Amino acid sequence: MKESRKNHIRPIVLSGLLAMAVLIFAVGGWAVLYKNNLPAPVKQDLAPVAANSGQLQTKPGSSWNAGVYSPNRLSQAAGKVMAPRMVITPAKAAVKAEAAVSKNNAQNHLPAPNKHKTVYLTFDDGPSKITSKVLEILRQQGVKATFFVLGEQARQRPELINAIWEQGHSIGNHTYNHNYHDLYSGFTEFWSQIKQTEEIVRNITGVRPQLIRAPGGTFGHFDQTYFHLLKQAGYSVMDWTVDSGDSRRKGVPAADILKESVADMNASRVILLLHDGGGHEQSAKALPEIIQRYKSAGYAFGVLDAEMQPVQFRVSDAAAKASRNGPSRDWIAANIAPNRELFTSGKALALEVGLLETKLLPGEYSISEGQYRVPLRAVVERLGGRVNWDSASRTGKVVWNGRAIIADAARKQLTITGADGRQQVRSADVQMIGSSLWVSLRGLLEAAGHAPLTTAVTIDERRVKTL
Ligand SMILES: [Zn+2]
């Protein structure tokens, strides 16, 4: 009996070993293939990865409202038809390959593979009068999306930017005017539109968009300079994996938009291109059913962020060869590296006021023209004062250190009432950002009788002390 059991066990062990060998060979071979698809030498992060191209059947989008872009002309100029592909950073590709290997292994042992699928709905060219409708649908459906907004539109409709933000959607930068001729004539023009739009959005929400989507997509437009400098400056450029086709021409019917939007329901990650710019009523009309289909297919709905691995089309030959004025070394030194600090200033700001101390984390404060700018309520309340928002006068009423201070964003002033009842009005840079009042830290501390200050910056933190 023992013998026969042994005989049974041996083939099982052998076949197990054989299976492992096959698996190792398959995985190893695949990993080699995968590796070979990366360029050698690896100089930058824009290598096409064939392993991923299967799920990316999209063609570069064209916007009928910009009118310059012609995919056909572009393809002819390049001498062959080019399809955009997902590109991944080599370092991350290796990580991804490892993750895939361990997932394959896991799948061989676990009975139920963990199918995790996420769709990222993205809306470009807004905000417009369509945006409210889109927001309403997203709210009803209980899903979040990402809006790549135009500075020109945002400036005219700040209330919609605020509504997008307050509903918990993500906001990305889609340049200021969407004009291909301006944007793709040289990097510095693209850059100035990014910064212009960033400032408009920051003034509304208090946050700088770190995600960028190139008008018309990067394909045929971006060269290595665009990709490289934007990355160095701290931005994440995001194309898409599925084009709804809603901007292929004017008035694409909702049925067609739906059909193209749900064409591939097998991909684990879908970044769906839609539009909420003016004239895109059909996109809003198709949206509820698009969401339903993805829900039925088991997708979660995500918002894009700058930390995730970007989807980027490759550089077309035409874009690589286009003669454009590259920025000078001096310009790059003056603009690109300092910009990165905006997103990576990992230092907390410590405030010492009397015996109390608090820390504002990176992102909780900003530095503008050499001055710290802070949210009024957070600072005052953490340091022992009180702030009440007066909605009638739209002012913040501070009681702190025996003084009453009224912060008025409309008049840009602080009205200070001392313990003796004497009143003093000072002009101050008070700003309403989203639903918060922000003030210059120096102005606030001086008004509260906590000046003078000493400031220090160490490798770990920034510190402001009042005496
Ligand atoms: Zn666009």
Side-chain angles (χ1 to χ4, degrees):
M1 199 58 199
K2 261 187 178 174
E3 271 303 308
S4 83
R5 189 173 285 167
K6 258 187 192 166
N7 285 342
H8 274 108
I9 290 167
R10 193 168 293 144
I12 290 167
V13 170
L14 278 174
S15 62
L17 284 171
L18 190 66
M20 272 176 75
V22 167
L23 182 68
I24 288 164
F25 178 79
V27 164
W30 181 81
V32 167
L33 263 176
Y34 197 93
K35 234 179 181 174
N36 285 346
N37 281 308
L38 297 173
V42 174
K43 279 197 218 147
Q44 37 68 34
D45 59 352
L46 302 165
V49 176
N52 287 303
S53 62
Q55 56 176 274
L56 293 159
Q57 303 296 322
T58 59
K59 295 283 181 288
S62 59
S63 264
W64 46 259
N65 59 359
V68 181
Y69 184 80
S70 160
N72 288 339
R73 204 176 56 210
L74 187 80
S75 301
Q76 283 160 11
K80 57 188 171 184
V81 176
M82 298 191 193
R85 292 193 234 164
M86 183 188 281
V87 292
I88 309 176
T89 60
K92 284 181 179 167
V95 171
K96 188 174 167 156
E98 277 170 26
V101 168
S102 61
K103 197 175 160 198
N104 281 351
N105 283 336
Q107 277 173 3
N108 283 327
H109 296 293
L110 296 170
N114 178 20
K115 279 187 186 172
H116 198 73
K117 301 198 290 187
T118 306
V119 58
Y120 300 87
L121 304 176
T122 66
F123 295 90
D124 291 9
D125 299 0
S128 78
K129 60 180 181 183
I130 314 291
T131 307
S132 304
K133 177 80 187 150
V134 168
L135 286 174
E136 180 57 19
I137 294 165
L138 295 173
R139 198 185 57 74
Q140 284 168 0
Q141 299 274 347
V143 303
K144 303 292 181 213
T146 304
F147 291 78
F148 288 95
V149 303
L150 289 172
E152 206 169 37
Q153 297 295 112
R155 206 178 59 172
Q156 289 166 28
R157 301 170 190 269
E159 71 288 353
L160 285 173
I161 296 292
N162 213 30
I164 292 169
W165 186 246
E166 285 185 349
Q167 284 189 30
H169 305 294
S170 177
I171 295 179
N173 191 330
H174 198 43
T175 75
Y176 186 78
N177 71 6
H178 208 285
N179 183 304
Y180 295 172
H181 178 77
D182 294 347
L183 293 166
Y184 302 125
S185 59
F187 180 75
T188 54
E189 174 62 24
F190 190 91
W191 176 261
S192 74
Q193 288 208 23
I194 289 298
K195 296 307 292 179
Q196 194 180 358
T197 301
E198 179 177 305
E199 214 42 41
I200 291 165
V201 173
R202 191 191 64 81
N203 271 307
I204 301 166
T205 66
V207 177
R208 297 171 187 279
Q210 204 172 351
L211 284 169
I212 291 174
R213 178 168 283 160
T218 60
F219 186 76
H221 295 141
F222 270 30
D223 56 19
Q224 299 291 17
T225 302
Y226 279 66
F227 278 117
H228 177 72
L229 292 181
L230 290 172
K231 188 177 180 201
Q232 292 306 308
Y235 298 106
S236 177
V237 174
M238 194 68 82
D239 283 307
W240 55 86
T241 68
V242 176
D243 182 356
S244 70
D246 68 345
S247 68
R248 201 154 288 153
R249 59 176 198 281
K250 205 163 187 166
V252 176
D256 292 2
I257 295 169
L258 170 64
K259 201 172 144 197
E260 297 209 26
S261 295
V262 300
D264 180 7
M265 304 297 266
N266 294 314
S268 61
R269 176 165 77 153
V270 173
I271 299 176
L272 177 61
L273 173 68
L274 288 154
H275 291 81
D276 68 329
H280 282 287
E281 285 84 358
Q282 293 296 310
S283 304
K285 194 176 166 192
L287 185 58
E289 185 61 22
I290 293 171
I291 293 171
Q292 280 307 320
R293 297 282 185 97
Y294 276 101
K295 279 183 177 172
S296 305
Y299 279 85
F301 290 75
V303 297
L304 297 175
D305 67 53
E307 302 305 312
M308 64 192 284
Q309 182 180 283
V311 167
Q312 295 172 346
F313 302 144
R314 68 181 167 79
V315 174
S316 72
D317 291 353
K321 285 178 194 154
S323 65
R324 300 189 245 220
N325 295 326
S328 69
R329 215 169 263 220
D330 286 349
W331 186 93
I332 291 170
N335 290 275
I336 298 299
N339 198 81
R340 198 181 179 87
E341 288 285 305
L342 296 173
F343 301 110
T344 56
S345 70
K347 285 177 189 165
L349 172 61
L351 302 175
E352 265 184 59
V353 176
L355 296 172
L356 295 171
E357 176 176 330
T358 188
K359 268 188 186 175
L360 296 175
L361 298 174
E364 286 189 303
Y365 70 97
S366 70
I367 302 172
S368 170
E369 287 159 10
Q371 292 290 318
Y372 291 118
R373 301 188 48 78
V374 295
L376 180 71
R377 182 186 294 275
V379 167
V380 170
E381 295 196 343
R382 287 187 210 173
L383 291 170
R386 274 187 296 119
V387 179
N388 286 307
W389 170 246
D390 186 88
S391 53
S393 62
R394 297 185 62 78
T395 56
K397 294 189 189 308
V398 178
V399 179
W400 193 21
N401 199 29
R403 300 183 180 197
I405 305 163
I406 297 172
D408 189 333
R411 294 197 176 86
K412 299 255 173 238
Q413 66 185 30
L414 296 175
T415 305
I416 306 145
T417 310
D420 55 3
R422 280 168 60 172
Q423 222 175 47
Q424 192 192 347
V425 179
R426 289 185 193 172
S427 70
D429 190 11
V430 185
Q431 238 186 329
M432 196 74 199
I433 300 182
S435 51
S436 307
L437 278 171
W438 283 59
V439 291
S440 123
L441 179 64
R442 179 176 292 275
L444 174 65
L445 291 175
E446 283 176 356
H450 282 305
L453 319 168
T454 62
T455 64
V457 181
T458 67
I459 202 149
D460 301 316
E461 63 170 25
R462 301 168 184 278
R463 180 167 287 269
V464 171
K465 264 190 214 183
T466 66
L467 298 177

